[in-house]
């Protein structure tokens, strides 16, 4: 089952047994993605968590 | 049967990096390495990391006048020396890879403008292929003579190539590139400015304008309005090019992803680094020390159309010896990655 990353357009293979509402990380751009639909497979950006990244 | 390679100028930093790579390459044998200063001494006198390696024990530095014929000759000499002796070197080997700047430019006039002198062997210039596989892979495969690449030029060329290929840049606007570099770019010869108390901790703007590698960017990318500034920073190895260019039409991050994937999607040694989380979100030279990878990334200011394109390399590897060995693999019909797969270290 393949879906497209909404951030970078990478083709992502969803692991067996993936369910709706699950959170994945894109292997290419590391965006946190929510599985919003299984059939057809669809991903959306997950809500951003607090940033801890700086100088 | 293994390919016999020799290195002229084996005691410098690029020569040492070539020795490190070639002594572990499964398909070649290092026949000779020259150094006038260290002739008769073991190569480990200059390169202590090679101590105890059986293949390294077979090689000691020899003087150039004792060179014998081989299959591939690497030249890692100071500026101008390769060009002055190229006829003699060409008699010793059917294939030559020159790591200096002597044969990088096609046009003798461009050479004269940036190097301030007429080329000593201008009729040789057209026989050399510019040795960046990401630009000239097919020509390198069949070339007898390949020139190495400039480290700052390579970081810049790899940062800008996707923008140029896909036509994202406004050609009427200038492209400005800031390159931060480590101290090994200065070579193994010491000088007052490299004395440790002076160099350590420095952020030295040593070529704000007029850097010679600009010529390689102009030639290879066909950009006339590109400007380099070089700053040495607290690194021994590494170069980071940050290029600022302006888009010809509105551009989004997704456009950049498409351009970078179209250019580098199947390149064995270029990785797109543009991550939304983690510590290393954009290219960082530190984790590339000893590796032949070039990491490229980007950011875009959609309001102004400014594209910031970034490339990190190890200046002695992808910026010099690593790319030279990658070229040798292509010229000899070997798999391109052979002997070059070390991924770097973390933490370092
Ligand atoms: Zn992604």
């Amino acid at each position: 089952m393949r879906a497209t990353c909404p951030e970078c357009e990478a083709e992502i293979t969803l692991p067996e047994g993936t369910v709706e509402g699950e959170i994945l990380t894109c292997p290419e751009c590391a965006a946190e993605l929510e599985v919003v639909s299984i059939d057809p497979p669809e991903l959306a950006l997950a809500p951003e968590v607090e940033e801890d990244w700086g100088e | 049967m293994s390919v016999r390679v020799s290195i002229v100028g084996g005691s410098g930093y690029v020569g040492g990096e070539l020795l490190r790579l070639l002594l572990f390459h499964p398909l070649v044998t290092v026949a000779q390495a020259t150094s006038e200063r260290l002739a008769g001494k073991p190569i480990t006198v200059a390169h202590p990391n090679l101590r105890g390696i059986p293949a390294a024990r077979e090689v000691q530095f020899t003087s150039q006048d004792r060179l014998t014929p081989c299959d591939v000759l690497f030249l890692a000499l100071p500026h101008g020396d390769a060009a002055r002796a190229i006829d003699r070197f060409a008699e010793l080997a059917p294939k030559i890879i020159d790591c200096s700047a002597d044969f990088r430019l096609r046009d003798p006039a461009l050479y004269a403008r940036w190097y301030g002198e007429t080329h000593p062997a201008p009729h040789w210039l057209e026989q050399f292929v510019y040795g960046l596989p990401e630009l000239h892979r097919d020509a390198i495969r069949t070339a007898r003579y390949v020139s190495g690449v400039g480290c700052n030029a390579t970081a810049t060329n790899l940062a800008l190539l996707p923008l140029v290929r896909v036509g994202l840049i406004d050609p009427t606007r200038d492209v400005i590139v800031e390159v931060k570099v480590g101290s090994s770019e200065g070579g193994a010869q010491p000088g007052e400015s490299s004395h440790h108390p002076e160099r350590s901790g420095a952020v030295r703007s040593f070529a704000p304008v007029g850097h010679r590698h600009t010529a390689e960017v102009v030639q290879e990318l066909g950009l006339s309005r590109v400007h380099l500034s070089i700053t040495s920073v607290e690194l021994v190895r590494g170069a980071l090019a940050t290029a600022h260019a302006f888009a010809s039409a509105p551009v989004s991050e997704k456009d950049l992803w498409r351009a970078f994937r179209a250019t580098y999607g199947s390149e064995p040694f270029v990785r797109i680094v543009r991550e939304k989380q983690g510590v290393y979100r954009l290219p960082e030279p530190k984790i590339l020390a000893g590796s032949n990878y070039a990491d490229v990334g980007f950011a875009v200011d959609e309001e102004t159309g400014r594209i910031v394109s970034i490339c990190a390399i190890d200046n002695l590897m992808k910026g010099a010896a690593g790319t030279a060995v990658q070229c040798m693999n292509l010229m000899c019909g070997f798999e391109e990655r052979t002997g070059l797969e070390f991924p770097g270290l973390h933490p370092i």
Side-chain angles (χ1 to χ4, degrees), chain A residues 4-10 12 25-31 33, chain B residues 257 261 276:
Chain A
T4 303
C5 172
E7 176 72 18
C8 75
E9 300 181 330
I12 300 173
T25 302
C26 173
E28 297 202 22
C29 73
L33 305 172
Chain B
W257 271 107
R261 281 211 184 95
K276 295 274 284 179

Side-chain angles (χ1 to χ4, degrees), chain A residues 4-12 24-33 43-46 48 51, chain B residues 253-254 256-258 261 271-282 296-298:
Chain A
T4 303
C5 172
E7 176 72 18
C8 75
E9 300 181 330
E11 286 267 318
I12 300 173
L24 309 168
T25 302
C26 173
E28 297 202 22
C29 73
E32 295 277 359
L33 305 172
L43 302 167
L45 283 179
E48 299 243 358
E51 275 282 0
Chain B
E253 296 257 338
K254 283 205 182 81
L256 272 298
W257 271 107
R258 285 187 206 120
R261 281 211 184 95
R271 307 186 292 199
I272 303 170
V273 177
R274 193 352 174 190
E275 300 200 345
K276 295 274 284 179
Q277 59 179 314
V279 178
Y280 295 86
R281 299 183 185 197
L282 285 164
V296 294
F298 51 82

Side-chain angles (χ1 to χ4, degrees), chain B residues 85-294:
Chain B
I86 187 64
D87 291 303
R88 188 177 153 254
F89 291 136
E91 285 171 13
L92 291 169
K95 293 186 172 79
I96 291 177
I97 300 170
D98 174 40
C99 295
S100 80
D102 291 5
F103 300 105
R104 289 179 195 157
L105 303 177
R106 293 289 74 72
D107 178 2
L110 192 63
Y111 180 91
R113 187 185 144 209
W114 286 93
Y115 289 84
E117 60 191 11
T118 41
H119 197 280
H123 57 288
W124 274 91
L125 288 176
E126 63 188 23
Q127 300 206 51
F128 276 80
V129 172
Y130 188 79
L132 190 62
E134 289 75 11
L135 283 167
H136 301 296
R137 180 167 284 113
D138 288 340
I140 292 166
R141 278 188 220 279
T142 55
R144 293 184 61 191
Y145 306 116
V146 166
S147 86
V149 293
C151 42
N152 304 319
T154 298
T156 303
N157 281 331
L158 293 176
L160 290 172
L161 182 63
L163 312 184
V164 172
R165 259 203 197 152
V166 179
L168 297 177
I169 298 183
D170 180 348
T172 68
R173 296 186 72 173
D174 293 286
V175 177
I176 312 277
V177 189
E178 163 76 17
V179 190
K180 298 173 186 79
V181 303
S183 57
S184 62
E185 275 202 8
Q189 289 303 313
E192 248 177 52
S193 64
S194 66
H195 187 48
H196 183 266
E198 307 294 348
R199 178 61 176 79
S200 175
V203 182
R204 182 184 296 152
S205 201
F206 83 88
V209 298
H211 194 272
R212 290 168 167 185
H213 291 183
T214 308
E216 289 169 56
V217 179
V218 169
Q219 170 179 287
E220 296 302 321
L221 295 184
L223 287 171
S224 52
R225 303 183 59 161
V226 64
H227 313 278
L228 269 62
S229 253
I230 320 290
T231 307
S232 40
V233 297
E234 187 66 25
L235 281 173
V236 172
R237 284 173 186 251
L240 179 78
T242 307
H244 303 260
F246 285 87
S248 50
V251 63
S252 68
E253 296 257 338
K254 283 205 182 81
D255 296 323
L256 272 298
W257 271 107
R258 285 187 206 120
F260 276 69
R261 281 211 184 95
T263 307
Y264 295 132
S266 53
E267 279 298 334
F269 289 111
V270 185
R271 307 186 292 199
I272 303 170
V273 177
R274 193 352 174 190
E275 300 200 345
K276 295 274 284 179
Q277 59 179 314
V279 178
Y280 295 86
R281 299 183 185 197
L282 285 164
E284 160 64 61
K286 181 172 93 147
I287 55 167
L288 293 175
S291 151
N292 195 47
Y293 285 101

